[in-house]
Amino acid sequence: MKSNSWPVNKPDGQSPAQQVFEQGRIARQGGDLAAAQGYFREAMRLEPSFVPAYNNLANLLQGDGQITEAIELYEQALQFAPQQAALHCNLASLWQMQGQSEQAITGYRRAIDLKPNFFIAHHNLGKVLRTQGQFAAALLAYQAALGLQPEAAEVYLDLGDLYQQQGLVQEAIDCYKAAVRCEPSAHAYTSLGTALQTWGEVRISRAAFVRALELDPNYEAAHFSLAQSLEGAGELVAAQQHYERSISLRPEGTNVLFYLNHLRLKLADWDNYAERLTELIAGTTDYLGRPGTVGLPALSVMAFPLSIELQSAISRHLAKSQAELVKTLRAELAPVGQDLAPARLKIGYVSPDFRCHAVGTLIYQMFQYHQRPDFEVFAYSLVPTVDDWTQVIQQGCDHYIDVSCQSPLQIAQRIQADGIHILIDLAGFTGQACPALLALQAAPIQVQYMGYPGTMGADYIQYIVADEQIIPAHLAHHYSEEVIYLPQAWVASPMEIAPLVTTRADWGLPEKGMVFCCFNGTYKIDPQVFGAWMKILLGVSGSVLWLSDGGEPLIVERLRQRAIEWGVDPVRLVFGANLPHGEYLARYQLADLFLDTFTYNAGATAVGALWAGLPVLTCPGEVYVARMGASLCAAVGLPELICGSVDQYVQRAIELGNKPEKMRALQEKLVSSLVVAPLFQPQVFVQNLEVALREIWQRFVN
């Protein structure tokens, strides 16, 4: 905002400069901006100290994008009228546009000193302070603006964004509701819906997005938010339509483009896949080079075969944005004195997934095996859900703290108050994680493990837990973290398998033929891996491929059509619905071999298959997410199922499919190794982890 409130003296006998200035105002009101500029310049020539002409000309130049000259004009005007608050405010707004935040802050504060009830200056000061991460100061500025104009919807929106940015969701919701009450705009409803969605109010949030689009059918942010809501609810086709509308309204939105293409993978939509991938890569390179861009959706990115260099650059970009977000909040963390030789190490785990979740079902038994009293274990839960898995975790920890309603700063202050020596994050950039907490560096040492399959690209996370399969030494330089190499990277708690009460016939599987399966999400299936699978089916007579249907008939239709294009009878693709966890594990016992995906390997899905006695065939790539299968196969003593190329993967699967005795031998080898395999020995894993934790703590204190 800029101020145009200028007292212009109009005595009966106007000076020549005043007369010309008035002509300029008339021309401006009539839309003849070129003529208006000429009149204002002439007024300045006639009377060099005639400040209103400087202000109006600067405003016109600003609107025309001539920022540098506009700044010069305001600076000249201030030489004649240093006490004019509007001049300071307008100049500050230009500094803000130029990214000169400190100069903008100084200008706004000077304007407020001269005119304490200057609403625009208070509001704009709040905006620039927010971009600087100065939460407390921005809050005061917005509150001052609202004190002057209590019905200012735009201030409520900005204040809501400030609260949302800090994780104070309820406060954000209250502000957005006030904005809707003051001015029911598409912007206000979209902001309210986004906050409600974060709070878990899915039905009400969707209604807010729909209302936003009723008010403005071309409001891009509402289309994007509604797409997110629909996708979360499994309404994938409808979600795609709104992602596409969002992109059409904002073509430069590379982040939305990733969401859209990720959704198309979910829907097995591979039309023009190579061209789309090329567009994504080119768009990403450009996007990362643009100032002020938000982070890309990390997990969606991983579904595409991007180079390890580009994936690392995306993580660094995302980590940098988190650091910028909280940089001034770090000062609000009181330094906590650390005992450099503690009687026991305090280990904090932070996660939204201490529950029935891909991560939770793997880690739920590990906490109980930490050696007491050498270690004191804290779990900080980012989600309030409590189930059977949660209860086991709670019993295994010394302290279980629900921080789901707290801001990142509040969580960091709690972690500091607890005196945590080493904080282990189990979520990274995944959904419902809290990367801003890590950017605050609440603990002296921060470690990334399990939940996020890649580098965080952050200098505030010092270590990542891995093994030599997941992060080979020659690729470690692509990771910002120092690698803690353990004998195996994965921990897997033994899981309850329900009794097998179904038969192959119940699922439409052949009684005697080879059953290949892959229950990975369909977003992990791309043309390359599907082509490999079709070659395998063509090479093994009577075999079938058992997949998850994703809850969407269109997925089944498209995959079967692709099979036809490969010359494979579509009935050889068999689809299964989702099941409760124990029954899902039991179902694996009906298959013969799990075929891993390439770009994004099976993680917890492969662990479940192995625990149920089903061997996993994998072909590792370069990035972490493409090497999980290799780590898991090595951890159960099946290195022969780690293939060095796609061709080898296809030939190995065909060989096993055509030689049942070899397949049975592999299955028997796996079953016999389960009781001793390091993958399913959480106590051994924790012992190895503790050795590493002691070592990195000693490094820190020395």
Side-chain angles (χ1 to χ4, degrees):
M1 289 185 181
K2 58 180 181 290
S3 176
N4 289 310
S5 299
W6 281 91
V8 180
N9 296 323
K10 296 183 179 180
D12 293 337
Q14 289 183 326
S15 69
Q18 289 172 325
Q19 293 173 5
V20 172
F21 175 75
E22 286 302 318
Q23 288 180 286
R25 291 184 62 187
I26 293 169
R28 183 178 184 179
Q29 291 170 358
D32 191 348
L33 303 186
Q37 284 193 34
Y39 285 123
F40 294 146
R41 291 186 189 277
E42 177 63 11
M44 291 161 53
R45 188 189 67 78
L46 291 169
E47 188 175 330
S49 63
F50 191 63
V51 172
Y54 286 89
N55 181 66
N56 279 266
L57 178 56
N59 285 346
L60 285 178
L61 292 174
Q62 176 182 340
D64 198 34
Q66 300 181 57
I67 305 300
T68 301
E69 187 179 353
I71 289 174
E72 292 173 355
L73 286 168
Y74 282 130
E75 289 175 333
Q76 291 173 35
L78 281 168
Q79 294 177 11
F80 301 115
Q83 302 303 308
Q84 283 286 357
L87 281 176
H88 287 284
C89 183
N90 288 349
L91 178 58
S93 70
L94 293 184
W95 287 127
Q96 186 175 354
M97 291 172 61
Q98 294 287 84
Q100 302 294 328
S101 298
E102 292 303 323
Q103 290 171 274
I105 291 169
T106 300
Y108 289 133
R109 285 184 167 150
R110 179 61 178 149
I112 291 167
D113 288 341
L114 293 167
K115 185 179 177 182
N117 64 343
F118 201 165
F119 167 80
I120 293 173
H122 284 290
H123 186 192
N124 285 359
L125 177 61
K127 288 183 175 183
V128 69
L129 288 169
R130 178 190 160 211
T131 64
Q132 290 296 97
Q134 298 186 41
F135 172 75
L139 177 62
L140 291 175
Y142 286 139
Q143 289 173 337
L146 287 172
L148 295 167
Q149 292 190 20
E151 299 300 309
E154 68 273 21
V155 182
Y156 281 115
L157 287 170
D158 287 342
L159 182 55
D161 291 345
L162 180 68
Y163 282 130
Q164 181 89 327
Q165 188 177 15
Q166 299 304 313
L168 299 170
V169 182
Q170 185 57 63
E171 290 84 347
I173 290 172
D174 292 341
C175 287
Y176 295 142
K177 285 181 176 178
V180 167
R181 184 185 67 250
C182 295
E183 184 181 336
S185 64
H187 182 184
Y189 273 106
T190 301
S191 297
L192 175 60
T194 301
L196 289 167
Q197 192 169 37
T198 303
W199 208 243
E201 297 287 353
V202 178
R203 182 182 59 81
I204 303 175
S205 67
R206 184 183 298 191
F209 300 141
V210 170
R211 179 58 181 145
L213 291 174
E214 289 173 350
L215 292 168
D216 183 357
N218 293 321
Y219 194 64
E220 181 272 330
H223 282 287
F224 172 71
S225 296
L226 182 55
Q228 295 254 282
S229 177
L230 291 164
E231 183 177 4
E235 299 177 46
L236 305 185
V237 176
Q240 180 175 343
Q241 294 170 354
H242 287 282
Y243 280 135
E244 289 173 343
R245 183 65 178 136
S246 172
I247 287 292
S248 71
L249 292 167
R250 189 169 65 93
E252 71 278 10
T254 303
N255 58 326
V256 184
L257 196 61
F258 267 107
Y259 281 115
L260 171 60
N261 280 281
H262 187 263
L263 178 64
R264 292 181 70 176
L265 279 178
K266 279 186 180 180
L267 286 167
D269 176 4
W270 305 331
D271 289 345
N272 304 314
Y273 178 78
E275 292 83 354
R276 285 157 43 198
L277 183 59
T278 299
E279 179 187 10
L280 274 178
I281 293 172
T284 298
T285 303
D286 174 68
Y287 188 84
L288 297 180
R290 273 188 265 147
T293 51
V294 299
L296 295 173
L299 282 181
S300 295
V301 165
M302 289 179 174
F304 300 94
L306 307 183
S307 69
I308 192 170
E309 292 84 3
L310 188 54
Q311 288 207 19
S312 297
I314 290 168
S315 292
R316 289 195 302 272
H317 179 262
L318 194 49
K320 183 179 179 181
S321 69
Q322 294 297 320
E324 286 292 316
L325 187 69
V326 302
K327 65 181 180 181
T328 59
L329 291 181
R330 283 192 176 189
E332 299 188 38
L333 283 173
V336 177
Q338 289 289 347
D339 182 359
L340 299 184
R344 56 182 176 176
L345 279 177
K346 293 185 175 183
I347 309 300
Y349 291 90
V350 59
S351 176
D353 302 321
F354 296 130
R355 54 196 169 101
C356 185
H357 178 276
V359 173
T361 57
L362 298 181
I363 65 172
Y364 77 105
Q365 285 189 357
M366 66 177 281
F367 306 97
Q368 62 188 299
Y369 293 117
H370 272 293
Q371 185 66 41
R372 271 71 164 195
D374 295 350
F375 291 86
E376 186 174 359
V377 179
F378 296 71
Y380 300 94
S381 177
L382 300 172
V383 168
T385 305
V386 176
D387 57 20
D388 292 343
W389 310 83
T390 310
Q391 292 173 3
V392 175
I393 293 171
Q394 289 174 332
Q395 293 165 7
C397 296
D398 299 291
H399 311 276
Y400 185 91
I401 306 104
D402 179 357
V403 293
S404 58
C405 293
Q406 297 182 23
S407 71
L409 177 61
Q410 291 169 329
I411 302 171
Q413 290 170 332
R414 173 60 191 263
I415 288 170
Q416 280 200 337
D418 289 338
I420 299 301
H421 299 103
I422 301 174
L423 185 66
I424 301 176
D425 176 66
L426 299 168
F429 293 129
T430 62
Q432 298 179 296
C434 190
L437 165 65
L438 303 173
L440 286 168
Q441 190 74 59
I445 297 175
Q446 298 191 142
V447 179
Q448 198 242 123
Y449 176 55
M450 178 70 77
Y452 179 70
T455 181
M456 291 284 285
D459 57 8
Y460 44 81
I461 301 173
Q462 294 80 26
Y463 296 96
I464 184 172
V465 176
D467 58 34
E468 293 181 353
Q469 288 288 347
I470 283 189
I471 305 179
H474 71 281
L475 295 175
H477 66 280
H478 293 290
Y479 293 74
S480 60
E481 308 88 348
E482 182 178 343
V483 183
I484 298 175
Y485 281 109
L486 297 186
Q488 84 277 348
W490 288 75
V491 62
S493 305
M495 296 168 278
E496 183 178 347
I497 300 177
L500 181 61
V501 296
T502 59
T503 65
R504 282 189 168 192
D506 293 328
W507 293 100
L509 302 169
E511 194 60 41
K512 295 183 179 179
M514 179 75 175
V515 176
F516 299 103
C517 87
C518 181
F519 291 144
N520 281 354
T522 50
Y523 66 90
K524 297 184 180 183
I525 303 174
D526 58 25
Q528 183 190 30
V529 74
F530 190 80
W533 290 347
M534 294 304 98
K535 291 176 183 177
I536 291 167
L537 291 184
L538 290 170
V540 182
S541 178
S543 63
V544 299
L545 177 60
W546 197 9
L547 303 169
S548 171
D549 65 8
E552 173 59 63
L554 185 58
I555 294 172
V556 175
E557 177 186 333
R558 283 177 169 163
L559 290 177
R560 284 187 166 154
Q561 179 58 41
R562 295 292 180 179
I564 292 171
E565 293 169 7
W566 273 93
V568 173
D569 187 339
V571 300
R572 295 176 68 185
L573 268 60
V574 181
F575 294 88
N578 292 334
L579 292 173
H581 194 263
E583 296 174 37
Y584 151 77
L585 293 178
R587 185 171 61 179
Y588 277 126
Q589 297 170 1
L590 299 174
D592 296 303
L593 181 64
F594 187 104
L595 298 177
D596 201 4
T597 42
F598 299 154
T599 302
Y600 196 141
N601 287 175
T605 308
V607 173
L610 293 168
W611 180 241
L614 181 64
V616 174
L617 185 69
T618 192
C619 178
E622 278 193 320
V623 296
Y624 185 121
V625 76
R627 302 189 63 86
M628 298 187 295
S631 173
L632 294 170
C633 286
V636 293
L638 293 176
E640 60 268 43
L641 292 183
I642 304 172
C643 301
S645 68
V646 174
D647 286 343
Q648 187 182 36
Y649 172 96
V650 171
Q651 293 306 314
R652 186 70 50 82
I654 291 173
E655 178 188 14
L656 292 172
N658 287 322
K659 295 183 178 179
E661 68 284 358
K662 282 196 172 185
M663 191 68 256
R664 282 194 298 272
L666 269 177
Q667 293 166 345
E668 291 168 2
K669 180 181 179 181
L670 172 59
V671 171
S672 65
S673 72
L674 289 179
V675 293
V676 294
L679 178 60
F680 297 103
Q681 301 294 323
Q683 184 173 5
V684 174
F685 173 85
V686 172
Q687 289 171 352
N688 292 328
L689 178 63
E690 287 180 344
V691 170
L693 296 179
R694 288 190 185 96
E695 180 182 334
I696 62 176
W697 179 254
Q698 285 306 310
R699 269 199 249 168
F700 173 76
V701 299
N702 292 332

